[in-house]
Amino acid sequence: MFAACSQLNHSLATMLLIDILRTWLFTIPVVAVLTAIGGTASLMVSIFSSTGRWQHEVARVWARAVLFVSGVKVTVEGLEKIPPGGSFVFIANHRSFYDIPLVLPWIHVQVRFLAKKSLFSVPFLGTHLKRAGHLVVNHSNARESLRTMSDAARVILEREVSILLFPEGGRTYGDLEPFKDGAAYIAIKAGVPVIPIGLIGAGKILGNHGRIIRPGPVHMKIGDPIYTIDLTLADLKPLTHQMEERVGELIGQKVVAPATESVGV
């Protein structure tokens, strides 16, 4: 038994070494090059597209390329549940740095998302975010966060685009964290449906504090729309909790606690 355990540990150590070498000698350098190419292409097409629509298509191609070189295979279930036409607020659980590339290629509508201010300073990526019309969110400032949510609702209505949000407020481990109210606020103010998305397996690719990118499968499940046309801000808390429950169902987690009282994105 000791020999078997020793052999198992040796095999695990070998696999870990292979993952480390693949990550730092291949995946990260290639993703960096892809990001530089994608950012440059986004900047070039932005000369001819002030709406961000062409930039979004560039981002979808970039996301597919990143998943390919990372060895990530995505299985998508429920695309038919996204109604044709119109705008939406897409919400998903947040387990990985890869969550945006995981979602972008499969949603065939124009999507903008709320990104941390620090991302707008990243070379190439930051330029794309600005030129494509994505929004800056400051989680540490409630007033600025509220302004961003109002801007997001306005962008949905004026530009006829959709918004992608991760209502947990950041990448998390384990159980689904209580949702913040931002996504519900935006959906109610814009009067658009909420589309819940569950990402299963994303944390194993590159988790919250991970330094190794591991190839593997991810299952993306899309749930039924939650309509908000007759809702008011008085329905903010119930809608937020309903969103939590829907995403929890998609990833196989039961949500028991009521939605958080915090307002933000």
Side-chain angles (χ1 to χ4, degrees), residues 51-99:
T51 63
R53 292 183 181 274
W54 289 8
Q55 295 94 307
H56 175 68
E57 296 306 320
V58 170
R60 293 182 66 202
V61 173
W62 167 83
R64 285 180 180 271
V66 167
L67 295 177
F68 177 77
V69 301
S70 302
V72 179
K73 174 71 173 179
V74 182
T75 303
V76 184
E77 176 185 343
L79 274 175
E80 73 282 354
K81 296 181 179 181
I82 303 176
S87 299
F88 312 96
V89 171
F90 292 94
I91 59 168
N93 57 310
H94 201 9
R95 292 291 180 272
S96 172
F97 288 97
Y98 268 60
D99 286 344

Side-chain angles (χ1 to χ4, degrees), residues 209-222:
H209 298 292
R211 296 294 183 268
I212 302 173
I213 300 170
R214 292 183 169 90
V218 173
H219 191 185
M220 173 175 158
K221 300 175 70 174
I222 301 172

Side-chain angles (χ1 to χ4, degrees), residues 5 8 39 56 72 76 106 112 114 140 162 164 189 197 242:
C5 290
L8 177 61
H56 175 68
V72 179
V76 184
W106 320 110
R112 305 294 180 267
L114 278 62
S140 63
S162 297
L164 170 63
K189 291 285 285 186
I197 296 174
Q242 184 181 10

Side-chain angles (χ1 to χ4, degrees), residues 35-162:
T35 303
I37 294 173
T40 302
S42 177
L43 177 61
M44 292 176 64
V45 301
S46 70
I47 299 173
F48 308 99
S49 174
S50 60
T51 63
R53 292 183 181 274
W54 289 8
Q55 295 94 307
H56 175 68
E57 296 306 320
V58 170
R60 293 182 66 202
V61 173
W62 167 83
R64 285 180 180 271
V66 167
L67 295 177
F68 177 77
V69 301
S70 302
V72 179
K73 174 71 173 179
V74 182
T75 303
V76 184
E77 176 185 343
L79 274 175
E80 73 282 354
K81 296 181 179 181
I82 303 176
S87 299
F88 312 96
V89 171
F90 292 94
I91 59 168
N93 57 310
H94 201 9
R95 292 291 180 272
S96 172
F97 288 97
Y98 268 60
D99 286 344
I100 288 177
L102 285 169
V103 173
L104 271 186
W106 320 110
I107 299 178
H108 300 292
V109 297
Q110 285 286 318
V111 176
R112 305 294 180 267
F113 52 87
L114 278 62
K116 294 187 298 184
K117 187 176 181 179
S118 59
L119 292 178
F120 284 77
S121 301
V122 177
F124 298 106
L125 176 61
T127 301
H128 164 75
L129 293 174
K130 294 172 187 175
R131 304 283 288 192
H134 299 289
L135 301 172
V136 181
V137 60
N138 184 353
H139 293 295
S140 63
N141 189 309
R143 181 173 296 179
E144 287 188 20
S145 182
L146 183 60
R147 185 184 303 116
T148 299
M149 291 187 289
S150 298
D151 287 343
R154 175 181 53 78
V155 165
I156 290 174
L157 295 173
E158 291 181 357
R159 303 183 191 174
E160 298 181 347
V161 298
S162 297

Side-chain angles (χ1 to χ4, degrees), residues 227-238:
Y227 292 95
T228 65
I229 191 65
D230 294 322
L231 302 184
T232 68
L233 291 180
D235 301 299
L236 194 64
K237 297 298 180 184

